[in-house]
Amino acid sequence: MRLAEPNQLHRKSGFEQALSLYDLPPDATVQLISRSENETYKVEAPSGRRWALRVQRPGYQSKNALASEIAWLVALRKDGVVATPVPIAGLNGEWVQVARIPVARAQGAPEARSVVLFAWEDGHQPAVGMDLRQCFRSLGAITAKMHAHSAAWQRPEGFERFTWDFEAALGESPRWGRWRDGLGMDATNLDLFGRAVDLIRDRLASYGSGPDRFGLAHCDLRLANLLVHEGRVKVIDFDDCGFSWYMYDAATLMSFYEHLPGAPGLIEHWLEGYRMVRTVTREEEEEIPTFIMLRRLLLVAWVGSHAETDLARSLGVAFTDQTVGLCSAYLRRFG
């Protein structure tokens, strides 16, 4: 094995250990293709065969939670709901393996990290600026099928995933950091954002979380987690799938782009596809702006608590500034 990017010796040995847990060619190359909190690497054999190796961030998901994630994405593909990544079991027959790999950019000793290997999926990521209308219609129908599958699926015993409710997003025990610690936050923004948070809390309490509107969902259907291949939309990266409001999936579609003028129109195309499969009540549709605001403020928190990442640095204080108009519009509409 050789690393296709410069790296330290102990990190190379960590990858050698990880790849030795699978039936892979010993001369495969490993190339970093994505680093957010997890790291994703392309593993390629001289024959041209490829795989995707996901190295989990330490301490985020338990091994059982990762196995639960894979159980659902396997069921979704097996039941013909959506094209999802195909996991590759290790030599011991388990999907989730553990290897000692240093955290990227850290100088410390290697530590135990969960790794998951998937067969390579062909396709390209859609992007803002492209014509996304048909992509979002297709994704709407796919999302509705996923929600229907979630509601009917018999989950394996011991199934474990996060719950993405108000408390986990914007409450006093937030999973991705405090919205108050967003970059460039000042007294004016703290007041404005705080009033929006209070309104979100009250509206979601009234909306409720009955089984018809709250269940297992992807919870991160942003453009980076989609692939389009030969006109077919694939859904990847179920690392944050968990229990939440089904309409929260609509809000995740425009993650990091909620402030752009075209966002509402894209949601309409998604709803058009969704309604071809599953009913959307008037109350559900009317609350989508609340879920969009919830997601945006959750991302403000994420950017503030992950300022060292490339994505957070690229967004910077401007992301907080661009949220001001969204908060103001939300308060005018529902306040």
Side-chain angles (χ1 to χ4, degrees):
M1 182 209 78
R2 66 177 176 84
L3 291 174
E5 60 165 11
N7 226 315
Q8 297 178 358
L9 181 60
H10 64 268
R11 191 161 175 78
K12 177 178 178 180
S13 63
F15 282 108
E16 288 173 340
Q17 181 199 357
L19 297 189
S20 72
L21 300 171
Y22 300 93
D23 183 17
L24 292 172
D27 52 354
T29 61
V30 181
Q31 180 183 8
L32 177 69
I33 57 174
S34 174
R35 177 186 289 140
S36 177
E37 292 177 291
N38 299 330
E39 302 157 30
T40 304
Y41 295 84
K42 179 169 69 174
V43 180
E44 188 165 10
S47 65
R49 288 193 65 193
R50 295 173 293 171
W51 301 265
L53 180 73
R54 191 178 75 192
V55 181
Q56 299 291 140
R57 75 204 86 169
Y60 188 65
Q61 300 279 14
S62 71
K63 188 175 179 181
N64 182 59
L66 293 172
S68 299
E69 168 203 344
I70 294 172
W72 190 39
L73 68 86
V74 166
L76 287 168
R77 187 169 187 126
K78 177 176 177 290
D79 295 340
V81 175
V82 58
T84 60
V86 176
I88 306 297
L91 295 174
N92 63 359
E94 295 184 5
W95 284 321
V96 183
Q97 302 293 316
V98 178
R100 297 190 63 80
I101 302 174
V103 178
R105 300 193 181 98
Q107 301 300 318
E111 57 183 287
R113 301 179 67 185
S114 295
V115 298
V116 183
L117 186 71
F118 297 97
W120 188 262
E121 288 289 341
D122 290 323
H124 67 272
Q125 291 181 350
V128 170
M130 298 171 53
D131 185 348
L132 295 173
R133 291 172 296 180
Q134 186 54 50
C135 174
F136 272 54
R137 288 190 200 100
S138 297
L139 183 60
I142 288 169
T143 310
K145 292 175 183 177
M146 291 172 65
H147 293 166
H149 184 274
S150 161
W153 184 48
Q154 184 64 45
R155 295 190 290 272
E157 185 177 352
F159 188 88
E160 174 193 350
R161 295 302 300 173
F162 287 145
T163 295
W164 292 101
D165 55 11
F166 175 85
E167 183 62 29
L170 304 179
E172 295 307 312
S173 301
R175 185 160 292 120
W176 284 357
R178 303 187 333 142
W179 64 265
R180 296 176 184 85
D181 297 329
L183 299 181
M185 196 67 72
D186 58 21
T188 300
N189 286 346
L190 284 171
D191 174 71
L192 177 67
F193 289 19
R195 287 188 284 122
V197 168
D198 290 344
L199 182 56
I200 291 168
R201 181 195 59 227
D202 293 345
R203 291 191 66 85
L204 290 180
S206 297
Y207 183 75
S209 54
D212 59 326
R213 57 186 55 175
F214 194 102
L216 181 63
H218 187 280
C219 298
D220 197 17
L221 287 173
R222 59 194 179 102
L223 297 180
N225 291 335
L226 307 176
L227 290 175
V228 179
H229 181 61
E230 297 179 346
R232 184 186 189 193
V233 178
K234 305 177 182 181
V235 177
I236 62 174
D237 198 349
F238 282 67
D239 187 48
D240 285 307
C241 74
F243 299 95
S244 190
W245 296 276
Y246 291 132
M247 288 299 106
Y248 176 65
D249 268 349
T252 68
L253 301 173
M254 289 304 293
S255 294
F256 304 110
Y257 306 104
E258 299 92 341
H259 57 282
L260 296 183
L266 290 175
I267 293 294
E268 287 301 319
H269 292 301
W270 180 85
L271 281 169
E272 182 181 336
Y274 194 100
R275 288 193 184 96
M276 294 173 63
V277 176
R278 205 164 189 258
T279 299
V280 179
T281 67
R282 185 177 69 176
E283 189 177 11
E284 286 175 314
E285 183 174 355
E286 287 179 348
E287 218 55 64
I288 288 177
T290 294
F291 294 117
I292 290 175
M293 203 68 249
L294 173 81
R295 176 69 171 188
R296 178 69 178 213
L297 290 171
L298 174 60
L299 293 177
V300 167
W302 184 91
V303 170
S305 62
H306 294 75
E308 78 285 354
T309 64
D310 293 339
L311 178 56
R313 282 200 297 265
S314 70
L315 294 167
V317 175
F319 190 71
T320 301
D321 295 340
Q322 292 159 349
T323 307
V324 169
L326 291 171
C327 284
S328 298
Y330 180 69
L331 288 166
R332 285 196 301 271
R333 180 169 183 173
F334 296 116

